[in-house]
Amino acid sequence: MTRNNHTTADNRPSEPRADTHSDIASTGQSTANQDDVVTLAHGAGGEAMRSLVDTLAVSRFADGSSADTAGAVGLAALDDGSVHPLPGTDISIVLTTDSHIVTPPTFPGGDIGRLSVAGTVNDLAVMGVTDPLALTCGLVVEEGTPTAELDRFLESMRESAVEAGVDITTGDTKVMGAGELDGIVLNTTGVGTIPTSEVVTGAGLSPGDAIVLSGTVGDHGIALLAEREGFDFGANLESDVAPINGLVAAATDAGRVTAMTDPTRGGLATALNEMAEKAGVGLEIEEQAIPVDDAIASAGEVLGIDPLSVANEGKVVFGVHSDDADSVLAALREQPLGSNAAIIGQVISDHPGRVVLDTGFGNRYLSEPTGEALPRIC
Amino acid sequence: MTRNNHTTADNRPSEPRADTHSDIASTGQSTANQDDVVTLAHGAGGEAMRSLVDTLAVSRFADGSSADTAGAVGLAALDDGSVHPLPGTDISIVLTTDSHIVTPPTFPGGDIGRLSVAGTVNDLAVMGVTDPLALTCGLVVEEGTPTAELDRFLESMRESAVEAGVDITTGDTKVMGAGELDGIVLNTTGVGTIPTSEVVTGAGLSPGDAIVLSGTVGDHGIALLAEREGFDFGANLESDVAPINGLVAAATDAGRVTAMTDPTRGGLATALNEMAEKAGVGLEIEEQAIPVDDAIASAGEVLGIDPLSVANEGKVVFGVHSDDADSVLAALREQPLGSNAAIIGQVISDHPGRVVLDTGFGNRYLSEPTGEALPRIC
């Protein structure tokens, strides 16, 4: 089979089309049948997915004995990874995993190989591990895939791993029949060590903290959808996929970072809601302060996709002690990947668990997408 | 779609049928086109797969800087995992990954959930880590999968994890469209810590060592194929899938274990050849001493599958210092999973890299399967 047939011509009736989505609130599929079968909405990183994961996995696995160790972060935290303090030391092992599926596997600004390295390096980075120890590579590939294509993706992994300063040290390869898998599934698991006291979680926000965003949002999701749908916007729309562990190190060196997360599936809207919910605080976000590339914003309007609701693959949301917000912002802006960094809001004690968006014309709650805006873009 | 349509009625022309395989030598597909596209043979754990992995991954990733650390085991070792000595300590982190795909996902003796835990726990165990720290769970599921089915597999994971004494601490869930994935891909990555001096690799054999096998071979592969092909052999053919970290601990406590591996994809034949090749020694194996369950042997004859060439999911091959062979054997036989353990041969200096099989009627080299005997059974 050919590798580039994943555009509007394909025949996947269950996949929501872009033109059905005019705003965040309507991007979800119905989840009425979520108790019976798994739907694409369950994989989208929003409410439907958290509900499924809560029901099936968290309640089941979260009572493991290691979760009781002081400093440990287990599954119940629903954080970007787990934290394992090593007995008798002040060191913790941090662990995170991500299976990468993206259509098309090569896209403007990157490919599945780069995505698989950046995605996992970034999950470690937002836990505080900016010098990761190793990545694993679990490759599942469709029979008939040209080896030259596989070679390109693995070379892209190598280049991105060098950029992030991490080694790929062990792996596994499986082949599925052409009728069983369309494309490639690439799992990477990352491991790192860190002084236990330096672990950062998504739950560390306190009222008064500044919310700092490392750059523009929406690039990955909207560039991918434009490519998939075959639109030509006359502008270079590119994914932002990049390892951001260096950027995170610059920020944490410059000031007191209280919480971090990377706004991937579900976008900035989901990331902010999760941070607010985990810390039991409110967030007050100024919509005009959120950096969005002009071409991405225009394309998003045509496609009916809100840049705040789609995945980014090279961005970080920081909670920063208010006294240090300016120094962290300055440090970020000195980095090539942080040149568009901005303070976008602050933590408040009102509206716990909610995100209040000041649109310039009034306030509204910023909801997270409940379902599937863009299947399989990360 | 229904979940149980993976029998002889399906239409996958590229998948070798059982009746084309009358012995080990003929189980491989042609690999003439392996330079061009990926074939099912590349995923079978034999020579074709090693060639692909060598070409695409090992040469590319193996020069990572961490491979230079004393005691480190990286990708180039092609071992069951990688080993990362922690600077300033005598502790190493051991890391292994495996993506599990199995048709049917529920089979006699187990299911994909149990397989995903046992497979990774066992890879850690044969590196010497019998008390693993954590597993990750990277789940990719087909849209439309009944949540009740997913629930069963995750419950099976939980039960197997309790049996192995390991926690599942972080995970990732992705959903693919029904036209893109048939079934479930379940990646587990395992991490453990161990005193660096206690790491066991597949390369530690020396002439004179005994080769000890923990039990019968062929059970998983032949039980799976019989189920898939719909044969009723009038006997309970069951997979041996089980976490064997307790069994390994019993063996290593009882004597000097010089090398270990678990004979999964490619079976005992591949495991023995790899051990011989890595250590640059020969192996002399007595065919009559290899334990094979009678019903499995009979079914294997009908199906045209050699029990030595198919995957096991609860077995270990040990190299043991000759003075300790009897005590290790006795310790294994005291364990429920080791009751059929046997000394099956010894390490010799002749025939380096080869396995000499004494059939009782003369000697021949035991080859490993080059290609695909049983796709996606582990």
Side-chain angles (χ1 to χ4, degrees):
Chain A
M1 63 185 306
T2 56
R3 315 293 320 117
N4 297 311
N5 62 349
H6 306 283
T7 58
T8 48
D10 62 6
N11 182 23
R12 278 172 267 162
S14 59
E15 185 176 316
R17 295 263 66 89
D19 56 7
T20 65
H21 309 300
S22 58
D23 58 29
I24 297 180
S26 72
T27 53
Q29 287 189 299
S30 165
T31 56
N33 61 347
Q34 73 183 49
D35 288 341
D36 303 319
V37 300
V38 176
T39 68
L40 288 174
H42 288 122
E47 283 180 12
M49 176 174 149
R50 265 214 307 291
S51 162
L52 180 78
V53 170
D54 272 344
T55 306
L56 294 184
V58 174
S59 57
R60 173 166 282 140
F61 300 136
D63 60 351
S65 57
S66 68
D68 298 334
T69 315
V73 177
L75 199 62
L78 284 178
D79 223 310
D80 296 283
S82 60
V83 179
H84 308 268
L86 286 179
T89 75
D90 64 348
I91 299 290
S92 280
I93 296 176
V94 180
L95 194 59
T96 188
T97 193
D98 212 342
S99 300
H100 303 273
I101 305 148
V102 58
T103 304
T106 301
F107 49 80
D111 61 24
I112 191 172
R114 181 165 177 80
L115 186 66
S116 72
V117 170
T120 294
V121 164
N122 295 355
D123 279 343
L124 286 177
V126 296
M127 306 283 287
V129 177
T130 55
D131 183 18
L133 187 66
L135 295 186
T136 67
C137 170
L139 176 67
V140 185
V141 58
E142 174 188 354
E143 174 194 27
T145 299
T147 50
E149 180 174 313
L150 203 52
D151 194 57
R152 278 203 309 279
F153 297 148
L154 291 173
E155 179 60 17
S156 177
M157 286 188 82
R158 191 193 65 77
E159 290 170 1
S160 301
V162 167
E163 185 178 336
V166 67
D167 289 339
I168 297 164
T169 61
T170 191
D172 173 64
T173 305
K174 294 277 158 65
V175 181
M176 291 178 78
E180 300 173 308
L181 175 68
D182 182 13
I184 289 173
V185 176
L186 187 46
N187 177 282
T188 50
T189 298
V191 63
T193 56
I194 185 175
T196 305
S197 61
E198 293 178 17
V199 172
V200 179
T201 71
L205 295 178
S206 300
D209 289 352
I211 301 296
V212 181
L213 178 61
S214 70
T216 56
V217 291
D219 305 65
H220 180 77
I222 288 174
L224 265 279
L225 191 66
E227 174 79 5
R228 285 174 55 173
E229 302 296 314
F231 280 97
D232 179 4
F233 289 99
N236 286 332
L237 303 184
E238 284 208 340
S239 166
D240 60 346
V241 58
I244 46 74
N245 51 324
L247 192 66
V248 167
T252 52
D253 284 351
R256 284 163 287 179
V257 170
T258 58
M260 286 189 270
T261 196
D262 53 337
T264 54
R265 279 187 290 178
L268 181 66
T270 296
L272 292 173
N273 274 283
E274 288 183 355
M275 291 176 94
E277 195 176 315
K278 285 177 183 176
V281 297
L283 298 185
E284 198 170 62
I285 301 294
E286 195 184 335
E287 186 168 25
Q288 305 301 321
I290 300 171
V292 180
D293 177 84
D294 284 344
I296 290 289
S298 303
E301 276 180 29
V302 173
L303 294 165
I305 298 289
D306 187 321
L308 306 194
S309 71
V310 295
N312 309 277
E313 293 294 342
K315 296 294 157 28
V316 192
V317 185
F318 299 93
V320 182
H321 193 286
S322 59
D323 293 346
D324 298 346
D326 289 337
S327 57
V328 167
L329 182 66
L332 286 171
R333 287 186 168 169
E334 281 174 15
Q335 300 283 321
L337 293 173
S339 57
N340 295 311
I343 297 173
I344 62 168
Q346 61 177 328
V347 182
I348 56 178
S349 48
D350 289 346
H351 306 284
R354 305 299 297 268
V355 179
V356 179
L357 192 70
D358 176 355
T359 64
F361 309 99
N363 289 348
R364 67 172 174 93
Y365 285 128
L366 176 63
S367 314
E368 55 185 312
T370 56
E372 183 57 81
L374 290 170
R376 294 156 291 99
I377 61 170
C378 58
Chain B
M1 65 184 304
T2 57
R3 315 291 322 119
N4 295 312
N5 62 349
H6 305 286
T7 59
T8 48
D10 63 4
N11 181 22
R12 279 171 266 163
S14 59
E15 185 177 315
R17 294 263 67 88
D19 58 6
T20 66
H21 308 300
S22 58
D23 59 30
I24 297 179
S26 72
T27 53
Q29 287 191 300
S30 165
T31 56
N33 61 346
Q34 73 181 50
D35 289 341
D36 302 318
V37 299
V38 175
T39 68
L40 288 175
H42 287 121
E47 282 180 13
M49 177 175 148
R50 264 214 306 292
S51 163
L52 180 78
V53 171
D54 272 343
T55 306
L56 293 184
V58 175
S59 56
R60 174 166 282 141
F61 299 136
D63 61 350
S65 56
S66 68
D68 299 334
T69 314
V73 177
L75 200 63
L78 284 177
D79 223 310
D80 296 283
S82 60
V83 179
H84 308 268
L86 286 180
T89 75
D90 63 348
I91 299 290
S92 280
I93 295 175
V94 180
L95 195 58
T96 189
T97 192
D98 211 342
S99 300
H100 303 273
I101 305 148
V102 58
T103 304
T106 301
F107 49 80
D111 62 24
I112 191 172
R114 181 165 178 80
L115 186 67
S116 72
V117 170
T120 294
V121 164
N122 295 354
D123 279 344
L124 286 177
V126 297
M127 305 284 286
V129 177
T130 54
D131 184 18
L133 187 65
L135 295 187
T136 67
C137 170
L139 176 67
V140 185
V141 57
E142 174 187 355
E143 175 194 26
T145 299
T147 49
E149 179 174 314
L150 203 52
D151 194 57
R152 278 203 309 279
F153 297 148
L154 292 173
E155 179 60 17
S156 177
M157 287 188 81
R158 191 194 64 77
E159 290 170 359
S160 301
V162 167
E163 185 178 337
V166 65
D167 288 340
I168 297 164
T169 61
T170 191
D172 174 64
T173 304
K174 295 279 159 63
V175 181
M176 291 179 78
E180 299 173 308
L181 174 68
D182 181 12
I184 289 173
V185 176
L186 186 46
N187 178 283
T188 50
T189 298
V191 63
T193 56
I194 185 176
T196 304
S197 62
E198 294 178 16
V199 172
V200 179
T201 71
L205 295 178
S206 300
D209 288 351
I211 302 296
V212 181
L213 179 60
S214 70
T216 56
V217 292
D219 304 66
H220 180 76
I222 288 174
L224 264 280
L225 192 65
E227 174 79 5
R228 286 173 54 171
E229 302 297 315
F231 280 97
D232 179 4
F233 289 99
N236 285 333
L237 304 184
E238 283 207 343
S239 166
D240 60 346
V241 58
I244 46 74
N245 51 323
L247 192 66
V248 167
T252 53
D253 284 350
R256 285 162 288 179
V257 170
T258 58
M260 284 188 272
T261 195
D262 54 335
T264 54
R265 278 188 291 178
L268 181 66
T270 296
L272 293 173
N273 273 282
E274 287 183 357
M275 291 176 96
E277 195 177 314
K278 285 177 182 174
V281 297
L283 297 186
E284 198 170 62
I285 301 294
E286 196 184 334
E287 188 169 22
Q288 305 303 322
I290 300 172
V292 181
D293 177 84
D294 285 343
I296 290 289
S298 302
E301 276 181 29
V302 173
L303 294 165
I305 298 288
D306 187 321
L308 306 193
S309 71
V310 295
N312 309 278
E313 293 294 341
K315 297 294 155 33
V316 191
V317 185
F318 300 92
V320 182
H321 193 287
S322 57
D323 294 345
D324 298 346
D326 290 336
S327 57
V328 167
L329 183 66
L332 286 171
R333 286 185 169 171
E334 281 174 15
Q335 300 284 320
L337 294 173
S339 57
N340 295 309
I343 297 173
I344 62 168
Q346 59 177 329
V347 181
I348 56 178
S349 48
D350 288 348
H351 307 285
R354 305 298 296 270
V355 179
V356 179
L357 192 70
D358 175 355
T359 64
F361 309 99
N363 289 347
R364 67 173 174 90
Y365 285 128
L366 177 64
S367 313
E368 55 185 313
T370 56
E372 183 56 81
L374 290 171
R376 295 156 290 98
I377 60 168
C378 55

